[in-house]
Amino acid sequence: ENVHEAGDAVEEAEPQKKTTIPLKNPFASKRVLILEDDPWLSSSFTAMFGGYGYTIKIVQSPSECLEEAVRFGPDLIVSKYLLEGMSVNKLIELLKNMSHLKDTPIVIYSSSSLMGEKDNCLKAGAADFIPDINGIRLLKRINQFYHQ
């Protein structure tokens, strides 16, 4: 038992040395594949995601998305809803059939609000559906995938 009474000499502990540990960006190693053919949106996504430290790859077509999904090895795939040459449901199906991507989340966003879009995408295997092109909302939702 270590009890001290008034007047006892007490050794003071040496002050702790402060060590600074650099904060690691939790997104620095995350790879996001984005399917978007609009140059303005592509630039916006590049700036937004790049600013958070994500490594991103923008593709402009479903076929390019399928090719890059193999080469790039994304941790997350983001795609617009309306695609040329392939339905988004078919794209989701083809991506989910790739063994290395079966557990990779796919987030779909849309600028339209057609009835049933969200349900169709979720049934096809999308992890989430964002009903507008709100970059901040999209970024918040994507960040949540990495904090689950």
Side-chain angles (χ1 to χ4, degrees), residues 10-143:
V10 178
E11 278 188 40
E12 299 248 344
E14 288 186 33
Q16 296 285 328
K17 289 184 181 178
K18 291 185 179 180
T19 54
T20 305
I21 300 171
L23 295 176
K24 184 178 179 201
N25 182 340
F27 310 119
S29 64
K30 302 300 180 188
R31 302 167 69 80
V32 181
L33 179 62
I34 301 174
L35 172 51
E36 176 54 66
D37 58 1
D38 179 271
W40 186 85
L41 281 173
S42 295
S43 294
S44 297
F45 288 153
T46 299
M48 183 172 44
F49 291 107
Y52 272 82
Y54 289 106
T55 300
I56 63 165
K57 175 74 176 174
I58 305 276
V59 294
Q60 298 183 356
S61 70
S63 60
E64 191 181 1
C65 183
L66 293 167
E67 291 169 14
E68 285 301 320
V70 173
R71 276 195 290 263
F72 185 62
D75 299 300
L76 178 72
I77 299 169
V78 177
S79 174
K80 61 189 240 170
Y81 180 78
L82 295 173
L83 305 174
E84 282 193 40
M86 184 182 298
S87 74
V88 73
N89 290 356
K90 184 65 175 176
L91 177 65
I92 294 168
E93 176 190 332
L94 291 171
L95 289 166
K96 288 296 184 179
N97 283 335
M98 294 182 186
S99 61
H100 70 288
L101 295 176
K102 66 181 172 129
D103 296 323
T104 302
I106 300 172
V107 176
I108 305 299
Y109 63 90
S110 177
S111 61
S112 64
S113 56
L114 298 174
M115 215 47 171
E117 281 181 349
K118 179 177 182 174
D119 291 338
N120 287 336
C121 289
L122 295 177
K123 283 179 188 171
D128 199 5
F129 181 91
I130 298 173
D132 58 17
I133 307 175
N134 178 321
I136 300 300
R137 183 179 301 155
L138 182 60
L139 183 62
K140 282 182 181 178
R141 187 62 188 115
I142 289 170
N143 285 342

